Structure formats: structure tokens, C-alpha cells
Amino acid sequence: MIKHPLRILTMGLALTAATLAAAAAQDLPKMKQKQAYKVGFAQTESNNPWRIAQTESMKAEAQKQGWQLVYTDAAGSAAKQVADVDSMIAQGVDLIFLAPREEKPLVAAVMKAKRAGIPVILLDRRVDETQAKPGRDYVTFIGSDFIDQGRRAAEWLVKSTGGNAKIIELQGTVGSSPANDRRKGFAEVIAKNPGMQIVASQSGDFVRDKGRQVMETLLQANPQATAVYAHNDEMAIGALAALEAAGRKPGKDITVVSIDGTRDALQGIVDGKIGAVVESNPRFGPKAFETARRYAAGEKIDPWIKVPDNFYEASNAAESVASAY
Ligand code: GYE
């Protein structure tokens, strides 16, 4: 019998669903107690200072602990990141630190590692919790409260604009947990302030030059904008370039707020162009390795290890520029 391509596809999907269901039924894999481990770190991409700082922190901590680190860079592709985790499984790592690029596509990677008996710790971004759960499918999520970051950005903007602004929002990577949640938290506060309005909102994929291009387009359609909310600093820096090219004066006729805390953004505050930055700390190394060690020792790990975040504005940015990344 010749199988219809659609039927083959359906069979494939059914198989995947069954495989995922079988994996969900098992317990969280244990980790043997050893002096040193071989662990994987599956990075999403390396196209911005935040990612580079995170990778450096992980590599430095691996070296400090004397653990072997299998490092991969998915170069902005969720499919490659799933394949990267496959290769870590094949190499028999003891644990995988995964920074899942997008919430849904990376569920498969978590479940495959679980089935192979390898514990996963999610770093900095989440996967879809309706499909994979901490304490059952992966050990824990170590990262910031993105909803709160969005709220804090909005609260600062309400205060600094006297509750009146027409806002252009530059969203992060579509389908990523920081983009979803930074949007949600921000919108929640804006909705309570009738003078505040989001006039346009589009993704710039967390990338500086995409931020610049999207800002250029959105500004043409919304010249009345008085504020910009960027989901990360790189897009905010890109937005500054687009604003200035259009003859706007960031910090004077338009207020910019963003998230991360890169050196360029803190300098942007010092220069009076960026109003405020909610920190999102990328230095995960020490916490990540300590958590893995505690897990190996049989300790109970909380489902969410929250990373505390600072706030930068004109009064305190200068002192942090030198130590920023
Ligand atoms: O804000 C951004 C990066 O996932 C929290 O991803 C992270 C975000 C961070 O590309 O700059």
C-alpha cells in the first residue's frame, strides 16, 4: 500500500503525542553524586551582549567548578536547539541547562531529555507549562519575573509622563516567554491608566537592527508617538537610531524605557536618551551550577528560582556602567 503523505504526517504527529505522554508519566530523572559532571548548555543565539554575558557566566562557572561543559548555540533557530539537545543526549551528559528560545517548540527537547534519563534545568526562559512542568518534567526554572519587569517599566512610564503617553512597543522574539510576559505585565498597568495608549506593537526579535527597522516603520505610521517601550535594550538602542534619523529627540520629545541593563543602555541613560531600564540579570552561572549540585545531592528544588532584578534610572545608572556588560 502506498501511504499518502498526509497520513504519514498524521502518524508522525500521533507518535510524537504518544511519546510525549509516555515521557510525562515518568518521574524526574535523578542525578548520580559525583565530584565533577559533564553538563550541557544549550544557548539560543549569540547576537546580543545579554546572551554573550550569559554564556561567559556559564563557561566561567563550569571552569571554576571543574565541570566539563558541552556548549551549543542554536543561532536563532528553535529547530536547531532541539537538535542540539539531541546531540547532548547522544553524548551522555549528566544534566542539561536549556535556555529555550520559544515556549512551545522546546517542550519536545525537555521531554526527550527526560525520556533519556537526563535532568533539565531551564535557564532564563520558560517552556509552555501546560505541556511540561517543573518538578515533573524538568527540575526548575531559574530566571526573572518577566510579568513584573513589564509592570515596572509601565509604572515608571506612567509616573514620568504624568499618565499621558502614546506608546510604541517593540516586542521580543515571537513565542518566547520574556516577550509574552513583558507584554502582559506592561499592558496590565497601561490598561488602568486612561491617558496611556499603546498605538503600535510589533516584534523586533530582541535584535538591535530589527528594532531600528521596526521603529522606523512604526514611527512613520504613528508620528504622534511620545514614548517607546522596548522589550530589551538592544531594540531600544536600535530605536534611538531610528528616532534620531527621523529628527526626534529621545529623552526630550519622546520617552524611552527598556529592559536588560547592558552597558550601552546604561550609557544611554547617562546621556539622557533612555529614561529607565528594568534589569534582567544574565549572570546565571553560579546559581545554575549550585542548583544542579543541590539537585544531585537529593535536595528538593523549588519550581521557580527567581532572579532578583535592579532598576536603573538617571539617579543610579552612572555607577553601574563600568560593571555592566
Ligand atoms: O532580555 C534579551 C535576550 O531571555 C531574558 O533574551 C532573556 C532575553 C533578554 O535576547 O536581551
Side-chain angles (χ1 to χ4, degrees), residues 157 161 165-169 215 225-229 253-256:
L157 198 57
T161 61
K166 296 199 181 335
I167 309 153
I168 291 179
E169 178 181 32
M215 188 66 211
T226 59
V228 176
Y229 166 45
D253 62 17
I254 188 154
T255 309
V256 179

Side-chain angles (χ1 to χ4, degrees), residues 44-45 47-48 50-51 124-125 144 146 149 178 182 205-206 231-234 259-260 280:
T44 61
E45 55 225 340
N47 59 355
N48 82 44
W50 195 101
R51 290 283 143 206
D124 102 65
R125 293 186 185 177
S144 295
F146 302 129
Q149 291 176 341
R182 286 171 183 171
D205 203 18
F206 283 132
H231 287 192
N232 80 345
D233 287 346
E234 281 295 278
I259 300 175
D260 271 358
S280 198

Side-chain angles (χ1 to χ4, degrees), residues 152-176:
R152 291 167 79 192
E155 277 155 11
W156 179 85
L157 198 57
V158 170
K159 202 175 61 182
S160 72
T161 61
N164 274 294
K166 296 199 181 335
I167 309 153
I168 291 179
E169 178 181 32
L170 298 175
Q171 297 176 34
T173 297
V174 174
S176 72

Side-chain angles (χ1 to χ4, degrees), residues 229-292:
Y229 166 45
H231 287 192
N232 80 345
D233 287 346
E234 281 295 278
M235 294 189 296
I237 303 286
L240 291 183
L243 288 165
E244 287 174 338
R248 300 293 300 264
K249 297 196 168 42
K252 297 202 170 65
D253 62 17
I254 188 154
T255 309
V256 179
V257 61
S258 76
I259 300 175
D260 271 358
T262 65
R263 183 171 297 162
D264 285 356
L266 298 189
Q267 189 58 47
I269 298 180
V270 173
D271 297 342
K273 295 181 179 181
I274 295 180
V277 169
V278 184
E279 188 196 24
S280 198
N281 191 336
R283 292 173 174 136
F284 282 81
K287 230 334 144 234
F289 283 73
E290 178 211 302
T291 305

